[in-house]
Amino acid sequence: MVDPSDLSPEQLTVASLGQAQHKSPLRKSLYPGDGLGDFVADDMRMLYEPRFRQGEPLSQLSFERAGAREKLFFDPGKTKVAIVTCGGLCPGINNVIRSLVLELTFNYGVQNVWGFRYGFQGLNPEQSRLPMALTPKVVEDIHHRGGTILGTSRGHQSPEVMAHCLADQGFDILFCIGGDGTQHGAHSIASEIARRELPISVVGIPKTIDNDIRFCFRTFGYYTAVAEAETVVDRAHVEAKSILNGVGLVKLMGREAGFIAAAAALASGEANFVLVPEVDFPLEGENGFLAKLQHRLATREHAVVVVAEGAGQDWMPSRTKEHDASGNRRLADVGPFLKQKIQESCAAASLPVKVKYFDPSYHIRSVPATAADSLLCERLARNAVHAAMAGKTDMLIGLWHNHFIHVPLAISTGAKKQLSPEGELWQAVLALTGQ
Ligand code: F6P
């Protein structure tokens, strides 16, 4: 969680394209109790810190609440919308595309929706394929499929070129479905649009199995990836337990954050050690991981180790300073390194060991969304449409204490959310493993 003293009310203020003058076509009202769903008044807020000590004053720091607005900035009949999907795959991308199209078309009456192809490349006319028309018919059954029907890519494109492309083709709204790198790109497009004083809304939808986007308690795709990863931890346990001194070693995605490793270990309930990037630990020595693993084998004759790919980077000589096209640090491969270290240290201690190594890799993110993620995708997408139609811009839909909120891209990007060593999730891992 970001320290609230580092935030000001101005930083949490969402940009708007101008006065909303068009009446929303949605059948909702501003009054509870009349049998209709409610519009969200524009001054409705969600407290940054809803917990408080009795008698102490509440902090006024708050987010704008998401939801349908009574008045729209855009006239639905004249609105042209673009969707782009960027970065690594993630379960639920097609669900989000589908819900955006259905909400825009059936509920708002927008008839002009397009999908740019292969990420931000699609907004660079020099590199692009033609955008794809998105109708309810086209998206009818895409939510049952993993991946993205639009294609994706990593990497930067010039904000000037992308803003020009949107303006040139008469787009009013751009939805950017992606992780931190994508939202950073969305922010640079929105900034260029603002510099040109164009009435184009840019709204982000937080996608990543790593669950590392700030001001978003859960990103879509995370729970599906955890469900897939849990089955691998269960299988690793079966392998480990079936032989004398078996070690089931599972490496899971999670570059800078150990959310997948921690949650998969907890869901499985079979992990004895969980290694994540946020919590430093010694490898060697009396209190090191290898000594503790040997102790576990000597007493229980099997062990399951779950390691996030970003963990233990300081141990490895091959640590590199390179970055990928999204600006992510390229990692040394902790899985095989750990396997070798376990084998060597057990051999030195004359302890026979068999390590069964599992690397499910992309498998956990290329599957269709589970029900929990499908529900989240549906709600994120519809809230994104409400925000964009009302003229909100340079923002993403966040999730805060189970409420959808509007988060300015300027504060949600550039730094990633990480697992807190003092937080509930990690403390539950410690309670399970006793590590
Ligand atoms: O989306 C984030 C992530 O899943 C990371 O956990 C992982 O390191 C990365 O994607 C790998 O993706 P790619 O090989 O496509 O860059």
Side-chain angles (χ1 to χ4, degrees), residues 12 14 38-47 62-69 379 383 386-387 392 395 397-398 400-407:
L12 298 185
V14 171
D38 295 337
F39 286 117
V40 173
D42 222 24
D43 57 359
M44 275 297 282
R45 312 286 301 180
M46 169 73 204
L47 280 179
S62 62
F63 294 104
E64 187 170 286
R65 284 201 64 179
R69 300 305 200 251
R379 299 174 72 202
N383 277 306
H386 299 323
K392 311 283 175 188
M395 55 148 280
I397 303 293
W400 200 246
H401 296 282
N402 227 10
H403 291 266
F404 292 95
I405 53 166
H406 294 168
V407 186

PDB file of all heavy atoms in Angstrom, residues 12 14 38-47 62-69 379 383 386-387 392 395 397-398 400-407:
ATOM      1  N   LEU A  12      -5.005  12.643  -6.556  1.00  0.00           N
ATOM      2  CA  LEU A  12      -6.090  11.668  -6.729  1.00  0.00           C
ATOM      3  C   LEU A  12      -7.251  12.238  -7.554  1.00  0.00           C
ATOM      4  O   LEU A  12      -8.281  11.601  -7.707  1.00  0.00           O
ATOM      5  CB  LEU A  12      -6.603  11.194  -5.370  1.00  0.00           C
ATOM      6  CG  LEU A  12      -5.583  10.470  -4.478  1.00  0.00           C
ATOM      7  CD1 LEU A  12      -6.242   9.936  -3.220  1.00  0.00           C
ATOM      8  CD2 LEU A  12      -4.907   9.328  -5.200  1.00  0.00           C
ATOM      9  N   VAL A  14      -9.152  13.147 -10.831  1.00  0.00           N
ATOM     10  CA  VAL A  14      -9.186  12.576 -12.179  1.00  0.00           C
ATOM     11  C   VAL A  14      -9.463  13.678 -13.205  1.00  0.00           C
ATOM     12  O   VAL A  14     -10.326  14.528 -12.990  1.00  0.00           O
ATOM     13  CB  VAL A  14     -10.281  11.482 -12.247  1.00  0.00           C
ATOM     14  CG1 VAL A  14     -10.522  11.010 -13.665  1.00  0.00           C
ATOM     15  CG2 VAL A  14      -9.884  10.316 -11.365  1.00  0.00           C
ATOM     16  N   ASP A  38     -28.791   2.833  -9.655  1.00  0.00           N
ATOM     17  CA  ASP A  38     -28.471   4.246  -9.396  1.00  0.00           C
ATOM     18  C   ASP A  38     -27.287   4.755 -10.219  1.00  0.00           C
ATOM     19  O   ASP A  38     -26.271   4.071 -10.345  1.00  0.00           O
ATOM     20  CB  ASP A  38     -28.140   4.442  -7.915  1.00  0.00           C
ATOM     21  CG  ASP A  38     -29.352   4.175  -7.035  1.00  0.00           C
ATOM     22  OD1 ASP A  38     -30.485   4.275  -7.555  1.00  0.00           O
ATOM     23  OD2 ASP A  38     -29.154   3.844  -5.859  1.00  0.00           O
ATOM     24  N   PHE A  39     -27.436   5.963 -10.754  1.00  0.00           N
ATOM     25  CA  PHE A  39     -26.272   6.673 -11.280  1.00  0.00           C
ATOM     26  C   PHE A  39     -25.379   7.021 -10.102  1.00  0.00           C
ATOM     27  O   PHE A  39     -25.858   7.191  -8.971  1.00  0.00           O
ATOM     28  CB  PHE A  39     -26.699   7.981 -11.966  1.00  0.00           C
ATOM     29  CG  PHE A  39     -27.360   7.782 -13.301  1.00  0.00           C
ATOM     30  CD1 PHE A  39     -28.679   8.173 -13.498  1.00  0.00           C
ATOM     31  CD2 PHE A  39     -26.657   7.221 -14.369  1.00  0.00           C
ATOM     32  CE1 PHE A  39     -29.289   8.000 -14.739  1.00  0.00           C
ATOM     33  CE2 PHE A  39     -27.268   7.040 -15.604  1.00  0.00           C
ATOM     34  CZ  PHE A  39     -28.580   7.435 -15.786  1.00  0.00           C
ATOM     35  N   VAL A  40     -24.095   7.169 -10.386  1.00  0.00           N
ATOM     36  CA  VAL A  40     -23.167   7.598  -9.337  1.00  0.00           C
ATOM     37  C   VAL A  40     -22.941   9.103  -9.504  1.00  0.00           C
ATOM     38  O   VAL A  40     -22.538   9.555 -10.587  1.00  0.00           O
ATOM     39  CB  VAL A  40     -21.834   6.827  -9.453  1.00  0.00           C
ATOM     40  CG1 VAL A  40     -20.801   7.372  -8.475  1.00  0.00           C
ATOM     41  CG2 VAL A  40     -22.069   5.335  -9.197  1.00  0.00           C
ATOM     42  N   ALA A  41     -23.238   9.848  -8.448  1.00  0.00           N
ATOM     43  CA  ALA A  41     -23.012  11.300  -8.510  1.00  0.00           C
ATOM     44  C   ALA A  41     -21.514  11.547  -8.631  1.00  0.00           C
ATOM     45  O   ALA A  41     -20.707  10.792  -8.072  1.00  0.00           O
ATOM     46  CB  ALA A  41     -23.567  11.967  -7.258  1.00  0.00           C
ATOM     47  N   ASP A  42     -21.159  12.602  -9.356  1.00  0.00           N
ATOM     48  CA  ASP A  42     -19.750  12.823  -9.664  1.00  0.00           C
ATOM     49  C   ASP A  42     -18.909  13.168  -8.434  1.00  0.00           C
ATOM     50  O   ASP A  42     -17.691  13.034  -8.467  1.00  0.00           O
ATOM     51  CB  ASP A  42     -19.634  13.937 -10.719  1.00  0.00           C
ATOM     52  CG  ASP A  42     -18.590  13.578 -11.758  1.00  0.00           C
ATOM     53  OD1 ASP A  42     -18.326  12.360 -11.927  1.00  0.00           O
ATOM     54  OD2 ASP A  42     -18.026  14.504 -12.364  1.00  0.00           O
ATOM     55  N   ASP A  43     -19.580  13.582  -7.361  1.00  0.00           N
ATOM     56  CA  ASP A  43     -18.788  13.913  -6.160  1.00  0.00           C
ATOM     57  C   ASP A  43     -18.771  12.756  -5.147  1.00  0.00           C
ATOM     58  O   ASP A  43     -18.352  12.939  -4.008  1.00  0.00           O
ATOM     59  CB  ASP A  43     -19.308  15.205  -5.509  1.00  0.00           C
ATOM     60  CG  ASP A  43     -20.781  15.118  -5.152  1.00  0.00           C
ATOM     61  OD1 ASP A  43     -21.401  14.062  -5.419  1.00  0.00           O
ATOM     62  OD2 ASP A  43     -21.310  16.104  -4.613  1.00  0.00           O
ATOM     63  N   MET A  44     -19.223  11.579  -5.572  1.00  0.00           N
ATOM     64  CA  MET A  44     -19.165  10.420  -4.667  1.00  0.00           C
ATOM     65  C   MET A  44     -17.723   9.934  -4.548  1.00  0.00           C
ATOM     66  O   MET A  44     -17.052   9.729  -5.560  1.00  0.00           O
ATOM     67  CB  MET A  44     -20.032   9.276  -5.199  1.00  0.00           C
ATOM     68  CG  MET A  44     -21.480   9.376  -4.813  1.00  0.00           C
ATOM     69  SD  MET A  44     -21.732   9.283  -3.046  1.00  0.00           S
ATOM     70  CE  MET A  44     -21.565   7.532  -2.788  1.00  0.00           C
ATOM     71  N   ARG A  45     -17.263   9.735  -3.318  1.00  0.00           N
ATOM     72  CA  ARG A  45     -15.866   9.371  -3.090  1.00  0.00           C
ATOM     73  C   ARG A  45     -15.763   8.072  -2.305  1.00  0.00           C
ATOM     74  O   ARG A  45     -16.718   7.620  -1.679  1.00  0.00           O
ATOM     75  CB  ARG A  45     -15.132  10.472  -2.302  1.00  0.00           C
ATOM     76  CG  ARG A  45     -15.330  11.888  -2.794  1.00  0.00           C
ATOM     77  CD  ARG A  45     -14.588  12.213  -4.049  1.00  0.00           C
ATOM     78  NE  ARG A  45     -13.157  12.046  -3.954  1.00  0.00           N
ATOM     79  CZ  ARG A  45     -12.318  12.282  -4.975  1.00  0.00           C
ATOM     80  NH1 ARG A  45     -12.786  12.702  -6.137  1.00  0.00           N
ATOM     81  NH2 ARG A  45     -11.029  12.107  -4.834  1.00  0.00           N
ATOM     82  N   MET A  46     -14.609   7.490  -2.344  1.00  0.00           N
ATOM     83  CA  MET A  46     -14.294   6.278  -1.588  1.00  0.00           C
ATOM     84  C   MET A  46     -13.066   6.606  -0.748  1.00  0.00           C
ATOM     85  O   MET A  46     -12.039   7.029  -1.289  1.00  0.00           O
ATOM     86  CB  MET A  46     -13.986   5.168  -2.608  1.00  0.00           C
ATOM     87  CG  MET A  46     -13.403   3.920  -2.025  1.00  0.00           C
ATOM     88  SD  MET A  46     -14.654   3.016  -1.127  1.00  0.00           S
ATOM     89  CE  MET A  46     -13.621   2.085  -0.016  1.00  0.00           C
ATOM     90  N   LEU A  47     -13.162   6.462   0.558  1.00  0.00           N
ATOM     91  CA  LEU A  47     -12.030   6.831   1.419  1.00  0.00           C
ATOM     92  C   LEU A  47     -10.793   6.004   1.082  1.00  0.00           C
ATOM     93  O   LEU A  47     -10.881   4.793   0.844  1.00  0.00           O
ATOM     94  CB  LEU A  47     -12.381   6.596   2.882  1.00  0.00           C
ATOM     95  CG  LEU A  47     -13.234   7.648   3.570  1.00  0.00           C
ATOM     96  CD1 LEU A  47     -13.515   7.233   5.013  1.00  0.00           C
ATOM     97  CD2 LEU A  47     -12.572   9.018   3.534  1.00  0.00           C
ATOM     98  N   SER A  62      -9.255  10.617  -0.600  1.00  0.00           N
ATOM     99  CA  SER A  62     -10.256   9.719  -1.175  1.00  0.00           C
ATOM    100  C   SER A  62     -10.124   9.618  -2.696  1.00  0.00           C
ATOM    101  O   SER A  62      -9.505  10.468  -3.339  1.00  0.00           O
ATOM    102  CB  SER A  62     -11.655  10.222  -0.828  1.00  0.00           C
ATOM    103  OG  SER A  62     -11.848  11.509  -1.390  1.00  0.00           O
ATOM    104  N   PHE A  63     -10.727   8.559  -3.239  1.00  0.00           N
ATOM    105  CA  PHE A  63     -10.765   8.346  -4.691  1.00  0.00           C
ATOM    106  C   PHE A  63     -12.166   8.676  -5.219  1.00  0.00           C
ATOM    107  O   PHE A  63     -13.156   8.529  -4.500  1.00  0.00           O
ATOM    108  CB  PHE A  63     -10.526   6.874  -5.021  1.00  0.00           C
ATOM    109  CG  PHE A  63      -9.161   6.363  -4.680  1.00  0.00           C
ATOM    110  CD1 PHE A  63      -8.972   5.563  -3.560  1.00  0.00           C
ATOM    111  CD2 PHE A  63      -8.076   6.659  -5.482  1.00  0.00           C
ATOM    112  CE1 PHE A  63      -7.725   5.069  -3.254  1.00  0.00           C
ATOM    113  CE2 PHE A  63      -6.820   6.159  -5.176  1.00  0.00           C
ATOM    114  CZ  PHE A  63      -6.640   5.356  -4.065  1.00  0.00           C
ATOM    115  N   GLU A  64     -12.218   9.019  -6.516  1.00  0.00           N
ATOM    116  CA  GLU A  64     -13.516   9.191  -7.180  1.00  0.00           C
ATOM    117  C   GLU A  64     -14.123   7.805  -7.388  1.00  0.00           C
ATOM    118  O   GLU A  64     -13.431   6.884  -7.833  1.00  0.00           O
ATOM    119  CB  GLU A  64     -13.271   9.859  -8.533  1.00  0.00           C
ATOM    120  CG  GLU A  64     -14.501  10.250  -9.278  1.00  0.00           C
ATOM    121  CD  GLU A  64     -14.134  11.129 -10.484  1.00  0.00           C
ATOM    122  OE1 GLU A  64     -13.781  12.302 -10.301  1.00  0.00           O
ATOM    123  OE2 GLU A  64     -14.187  10.598 -11.608  1.00  0.00           O
ATOM    124  N   ARG A  65     -15.403   7.654  -7.084  1.00  0.00           N
ATOM    125  CA  ARG A  65     -16.036   6.345  -7.274  1.00  0.00           C
ATOM    126  C   ARG A  65     -16.388   6.117  -8.745  1.00  0.00           C
ATOM    127  O   ARG A  65     -16.800   7.031  -9.454  1.00  0.00           O
ATOM    128  CB  ARG A  65     -17.310   6.246  -6.438  1.00  0.00           C
ATOM    129  CG  ARG A  65     -16.995   6.025  -4.972  1.00  0.00           C
ATOM    130  CD  ARG A  65     -18.169   5.444  -4.255  1.00  0.00           C
ATOM    131  NE  ARG A  65     -18.506   4.110  -4.755  1.00  0.00           N
ATOM    132  CZ  ARG A  65     -19.500   3.375  -4.280  1.00  0.00           C
ATOM    133  NH1 ARG A  65     -20.251   3.838  -3.307  1.00  0.00           N
ATOM    134  NH2 ARG A  65     -19.754   2.175  -4.769  1.00  0.00           N
ATOM    135  N   ALA A  66     -16.234   4.883  -9.177  1.00  0.00           N
ATOM    136  CA  ALA A  66     -16.595   4.531 -10.552  1.00  0.00           C
ATOM    137  C   ALA A  66     -18.101   4.296 -10.627  1.00  0.00           C
ATOM    138  O   ALA A  66     -18.769   4.170  -9.606  1.00  0.00           O
ATOM    139  CB  ALA A  66     -15.845   3.278 -10.971  1.00  0.00           C
ATOM    140  N   GLY A  67     -18.617   4.231 -11.846  1.00  0.00           N
ATOM    141  CA  GLY A  67     -20.038   3.926 -12.032  1.00  0.00           C
ATOM    142  C   GLY A  67     -20.657   4.820 -13.094  1.00  0.00           C
ATOM    143  O   GLY A  67     -20.041   5.789 -13.551  1.00  0.00           O
ATOM    144  N   ALA A  68     -21.871   4.482 -13.482  1.00  0.00           N
ATOM    145  CA  ALA A  68     -22.556   5.221 -14.557  1.00  0.00           C
ATOM    146  C   ALA A  68     -22.894   6.633 -14.103  1.00  0.00           C
ATOM    147  O   ALA A  68     -23.366   6.845 -12.983  1.00  0.00           O
ATOM    148  CB  ALA A  68     -23.832   4.480 -14.940  1.00  0.00           C
ATOM    149  N   ARG A  69     -22.643   7.603 -14.978  1.00  0.00           N
ATOM    150  CA  ARG A  69     -22.980   8.999 -14.690  1.00  0.00           C
ATOM    151  C   ARG A  69     -24.277   9.377 -15.417  1.00  0.00           C
ATOM    152  O   ARG A  69     -24.561   8.877 -16.511  1.00  0.00           O
ATOM    153  CB  ARG A  69     -21.850   9.939 -15.146  1.00  0.00           C
ATOM    154  CG  ARG A  69     -20.489   9.681 -14.475  1.00  0.00           C
ATOM    155  CD  ARG A  69     -20.577   9.711 -12.964  1.00  0.00           C
ATOM    156  NE  ARG A  69     -19.321   9.931 -12.296  1.00  0.00           N
ATOM    157  CZ  ARG A  69     -18.649   9.021 -11.585  1.00  0.00           C
ATOM    158  NH1 ARG A  69     -19.097   7.785 -11.476  1.00  0.00           N
ATOM    159  NH2 ARG A  69     -17.533   9.350 -10.953  1.00  0.00           N
ATOM    160  N   ARG A 379     -17.095  -6.347 -14.751  1.00  0.00           N
ATOM    161  CA  ARG A 379     -17.350  -5.116 -13.992  1.00  0.00           C
ATOM    162  C   ARG A 379     -16.310  -4.036 -14.308  1.00  0.00           C
ATOM    163  O   ARG A 379     -16.641  -2.853 -14.388  1.00  0.00           O
ATOM    164  CB  ARG A 379     -17.414  -5.456 -12.507  1.00  0.00           C
ATOM    165  CG  ARG A 379     -18.564  -6.439 -12.243  1.00  0.00           C
ATOM    166  CD  ARG A 379     -18.587  -6.923 -10.839  1.00  0.00           C
ATOM    167  NE  ARG A 379     -19.014  -5.880  -9.928  1.00  0.00           N
ATOM    168  CZ  ARG A 379     -18.726  -5.881  -8.621  1.00  0.00           C
ATOM    169  NH1 ARG A 379     -18.019  -6.880  -8.109  1.00  0.00           N
ATOM    170  NH2 ARG A 379     -19.149  -4.914  -7.844  1.00  0.00           N
ATOM    171  N   ASN A 383     -17.475  -0.443 -16.059  1.00  0.00           N
ATOM    172  CA  ASN A 383     -17.114   0.806 -15.376  1.00  0.00           C
ATOM    173  C   ASN A 383     -16.201   1.672 -16.239  1.00  0.00           C
ATOM    174  O   ASN A 383     -16.256   2.903 -16.170  1.00  0.00           O
ATOM    175  CB  ASN A 383     -16.455   0.504 -14.029  1.00  0.00           C
ATOM    176  CG  ASN A 383     -17.500   0.244 -12.952  1.00  0.00           C
ATOM    177  OD1 ASN A 383     -18.398   1.060 -12.740  1.00  0.00           O
ATOM    178  ND2 ASN A 383     -17.422  -0.894 -12.296  1.00  0.00           N
ATOM    179  N   HIS A 386     -18.462   3.532 -18.575  1.00  0.00           N
ATOM    180  CA  HIS A 386     -19.145   4.645 -17.879  1.00  0.00           C
ATOM    181  C   HIS A 386     -18.199   5.842 -17.744  1.00  0.00           C
ATOM    182  O   HIS A 386     -18.590   6.988 -17.985  1.00  0.00           O
ATOM    183  CB  HIS A 386     -19.595   4.221 -16.471  1.00  0.00           C
ATOM    184  CG  HIS A 386     -20.566   3.080 -16.442  1.00  0.00           C
ATOM    185  ND1 HIS A 386     -21.552   2.906 -17.383  1.00  0.00           N
ATOM    186  CD2 HIS A 386     -20.710   2.052 -15.551  1.00  0.00           C
ATOM    187  CE1 HIS A 386     -22.264   1.819 -17.089  1.00  0.00           C
ATOM    188  NE2 HIS A 386     -21.770   1.283 -15.982  1.00  0.00           N
ATOM    189  N   ALA A 387     -16.949   5.567 -17.339  1.00  0.00           N
ATOM    190  CA  ALA A 387     -15.991   6.656 -17.105  1.00  0.00           C
ATOM    191  C   ALA A 387     -15.688   7.397 -18.407  1.00  0.00           C
ATOM    192  O   ALA A 387     -15.721   8.634 -18.455  1.00  0.00           O
ATOM    193  CB  ALA A 387     -14.697   6.083 -16.515  1.00  0.00           C
ATOM    194  N   LYS A 392     -14.213  11.239 -18.572  1.00  0.00           N
ATOM    195  CA  LYS A 392     -13.027  11.073 -17.722  1.00  0.00           C
ATOM    196  C   LYS A 392     -11.872  10.648 -18.610  1.00  0.00           C
ATOM    197  O   LYS A 392     -12.078   9.911 -19.593  1.00  0.00           O
ATOM    198  CB  LYS A 392     -13.253   9.993 -16.666  1.00  0.00           C
ATOM    199  CG  LYS A 392     -14.540  10.133 -15.893  1.00  0.00           C
ATOM    200  CD  LYS A 392     -14.448  11.200 -14.863  1.00  0.00           C
ATOM    201  CE  LYS A 392     -15.774  11.416 -14.166  1.00  0.00           C
ATOM    202  NZ  LYS A 392     -15.766  12.585 -13.294  1.00  0.00           N
ATOM    203  N   MET A 395      -6.870   7.999 -16.885  1.00  0.00           N
ATOM    204  CA  MET A 395      -7.177   7.269 -15.639  1.00  0.00           C
ATOM    205  C   MET A 395      -7.346   5.780 -15.917  1.00  0.00           C
ATOM    206  O   MET A 395      -7.513   5.368 -17.060  1.00  0.00           O
ATOM    207  CB  MET A 395      -8.472   7.803 -15.028  1.00  0.00           C
ATOM    208  CG  MET A 395      -9.658   7.777 -15.965  1.00  0.00           C
ATOM    209  SD  MET A 395     -11.252   7.503 -15.169  1.00  0.00           S
ATOM    210  CE  MET A 395     -11.275   5.744 -14.937  1.00  0.00           C
ATOM    211  N   ILE A 397      -9.385   2.126 -14.173  1.00  0.00           N
ATOM    212  CA  ILE A 397     -10.365   1.644 -13.196  1.00  0.00           C
ATOM    213  C   ILE A 397      -9.602   0.838 -12.150  1.00  0.00           C
ATOM    214  O   ILE A 397      -8.945  -0.154 -12.472  1.00  0.00           O
ATOM    215  CB  ILE A 397     -11.438   0.751 -13.863  1.00  0.00           C
ATOM    216  CG1 ILE A 397     -12.149   1.492 -15.004  1.00  0.00           C
ATOM    217  CG2 ILE A 397     -12.458   0.270 -12.818  1.00  0.00           C
ATOM    218  CD1 ILE A 397     -13.013   2.663 -14.577  1.00  0.00           C
ATOM    219  N   GLY A 398      -9.665   1.280 -10.917  1.00  0.00           N
ATOM    220  CA  GLY A 398      -9.009   0.555  -9.834  1.00  0.00           C
ATOM    221  C   GLY A 398     -10.031  -0.169  -8.977  1.00  0.00           C
ATOM    222  O   GLY A 398     -11.250  -0.005  -9.147  1.00  0.00           O
ATOM    223  N   TRP A 400     -10.661  -0.897  -4.899  1.00  0.00           N
ATOM    224  CA  TRP A 400     -10.197  -0.464  -3.587  1.00  0.00           C
ATOM    225  C   TRP A 400     -11.193  -0.927  -2.539  1.00  0.00           C
ATOM    226  O   TRP A 400     -12.333  -0.500  -2.570  1.00  0.00           O
ATOM    227  CB  TRP A 400     -10.072   1.073  -3.587  1.00  0.00           C
ATOM    228  CG  TRP A 400      -9.192   1.627  -2.532  1.00  0.00           C
ATOM    229  CD1 TRP A 400      -9.587   2.409  -1.474  1.00  0.00           C
ATOM    230  CD2 TRP A 400      -7.779   1.491  -2.426  1.00  0.00           C
ATOM    231  NE1 TRP A 400      -8.492   2.746  -0.721  1.00  0.00           N
ATOM    232  CE2 TRP A 400      -7.367   2.191  -1.282  1.00  0.00           C
ATOM    233  CE3 TRP A 400      -6.794   0.829  -3.185  1.00  0.00           C
ATOM    234  CZ2 TRP A 400      -6.039   2.246  -0.867  1.00  0.00           C
ATOM    235  CZ3 TRP A 400      -5.486   0.886  -2.785  1.00  0.00           C
ATOM    236  CH2 TRP A 400      -5.125   1.593  -1.638  1.00  0.00           C
ATOM    237  N   HIS A 401     -10.771  -1.806  -1.642  1.00  0.00           N
ATOM    238  CA  HIS A 401     -11.665  -2.335  -0.614  1.00  0.00           C
ATOM    239  C   HIS A 401     -12.994  -2.771  -1.245  1.00  0.00           C
ATOM    240  O   HIS A 401     -14.070  -2.447  -0.753  1.00  0.00           O
ATOM    241  CB  HIS A 401     -11.909  -1.307   0.494  1.00  0.00           C
ATOM    242  CG  HIS A 401     -10.663  -0.976   1.251  1.00  0.00           C
ATOM    243  ND1 HIS A 401     -10.141  -1.794   2.219  1.00  0.00           N
ATOM    244  CD2 HIS A 401      -9.819   0.064   1.157  1.00  0.00           C
ATOM    245  CE1 HIS A 401      -9.030  -1.271   2.699  1.00  0.00           C
ATOM    246  NE2 HIS A 401      -8.802  -0.146   2.053  1.00  0.00           N
ATOM    247  N   ASN A 402     -12.877  -3.484  -2.366  1.00  0.00           N
ATOM    248  CA  ASN A 402     -14.038  -4.043  -3.061  1.00  0.00           C
ATOM    249  C   ASN A 402     -14.941  -3.022  -3.751  1.00  0.00           C
ATOM    250  O   ASN A 402     -16.077  -3.339  -4.118  1.00  0.00           O
ATOM    251  CB  ASN A 402     -14.880  -4.907  -2.107  1.00  0.00           C
ATOM    252  CG  ASN A 402     -15.236  -6.219  -2.756  1.00  0.00           C
ATOM    253  OD1 ASN A 402     -14.712  -6.561  -3.818  1.00  0.00           O
ATOM    254  ND2 ASN A 402     -16.156  -6.942  -2.141  1.00  0.00           N
ATOM    255  N   HIS A 403     -14.476  -1.799  -3.908  1.00  0.00           N
ATOM    256  CA  HIS A 403     -15.231  -0.779  -4.656  1.00  0.00           C
ATOM    257  C   HIS A 403     -14.418  -0.364  -5.879  1.00  0.00           C
ATOM    258  O   HIS A 403     -13.196  -0.224  -5.783  1.00  0.00           O
ATOM    259  CB  HIS A 403     -15.487   0.460  -3.792  1.00  0.00           C
ATOM    260  CG  HIS A 403     -16.453   0.200  -2.678  1.00  0.00           C
ATOM    261  ND1 HIS A 403     -17.807   0.443  -2.796  1.00  0.00           N
ATOM    262  CD2 HIS A 403     -16.264  -0.314  -1.451  1.00  0.00           C
ATOM    263  CE1 HIS A 403     -18.404   0.094  -1.664  1.00  0.00           C
ATOM    264  NE2 HIS A 403     -17.489  -0.367  -0.827  1.00  0.00           N
ATOM    265  N   PHE A 404     -15.118  -0.144  -6.995  1.00  0.00           N
ATOM    266  CA  PHE A 404     -14.410   0.303  -8.201  1.00  0.00           C
ATOM    267  C   PHE A 404     -14.209   1.812  -8.110  1.00  0.00           C
ATOM    268  O   PHE A 404     -15.123   2.551  -7.725  1.00  0.00           O
ATOM    269  CB  PHE A 404     -15.192  -0.087  -9.459  1.00  0.00           C
ATOM    270  CG  PHE A 404     -15.192  -1.582  -9.656  1.00  0.00           C
ATOM    271  CD1 PHE A 404     -16.248  -2.361  -9.199  1.00  0.00           C
ATOM    272  CD2 PHE A 404     -14.104  -2.205 -10.241  1.00  0.00           C
ATOM    273  CE1 PHE A 404     -16.226  -3.743  -9.344  1.00  0.00           C
ATOM    274  CE2 PHE A 404     -14.071  -3.594 -10.388  1.00  0.00           C
ATOM    275  CZ  PHE A 404     -15.127  -4.366  -9.937  1.00  0.00           C
ATOM    276  N   ILE A 405     -13.014   2.232  -8.478  1.00  0.00           N
ATOM    277  CA  ILE A 405     -12.652   3.654  -8.343  1.00  0.00           C
ATOM    278  C   ILE A 405     -11.953   4.138  -9.620  1.00  0.00           C
ATOM    279  O   ILE A 405     -11.532   3.331 -10.449  1.00  0.00           O
ATOM    280  CB  ILE A 405     -11.699   3.873  -7.139  1.00  0.00           C
ATOM    281  CG1 ILE A 405     -10.476   2.930  -7.252  1.00  0.00           C
ATOM    282  CG2 ILE A 405     -12.431   3.664  -5.812  1.00  0.00           C
ATOM    283  CD1 ILE A 405      -9.342   3.308  -6.322  1.00  0.00           C
ATOM    284  N   HIS A 406     -11.833   5.457  -9.729  1.00  0.00           N
ATOM    285  CA  HIS A 406     -11.076   6.070 -10.826  1.00  0.00           C
ATOM    286  C   HIS A 406      -9.710   6.486 -10.284  1.00  0.00           C
ATOM    287  O   HIS A 406      -9.645   7.218  -9.289  1.00  0.00           O
ATOM    288  CB  HIS A 406     -11.804   7.313 -11.349  1.00  0.00           C
ATOM    289  CG  HIS A 406     -13.119   6.999 -12.007  1.00  0.00           C
ATOM    290  ND1 HIS A 406     -14.041   7.969 -12.329  1.00  0.00           N
ATOM    291  CD2 HIS A 406     -13.652   5.811 -12.412  1.00  0.00           C
ATOM    292  CE1 HIS A 406     -15.095   7.401 -12.915  1.00  0.00           C
ATOM    293  NE2 HIS A 406     -14.885   6.095 -12.967  1.00  0.00           N
ATOM    294  N   VAL A 407      -8.652   6.030 -10.942  1.00  0.00           N
ATOM    295  CA  VAL A 407      -7.293   6.348 -10.477  1.00  0.00           C
ATOM    296  C   VAL A 407      -6.538   7.088 -11.582  1.00  0.00           C
ATOM    297  O   VAL A 407      -6.413   6.557 -12.698  1.00  0.00           O
ATOM    298  CB  VAL A 407      -6.508   5.059 -10.132  1.00  0.00           C
ATOM    299  CG1 VAL A 407      -5.165   5.409  -9.510  1.00  0.00           C
ATOM    300  CG2 VAL A 407      -7.304   4.141  -9.225  1.00  0.00           C
TER     301      VAL A 407
END
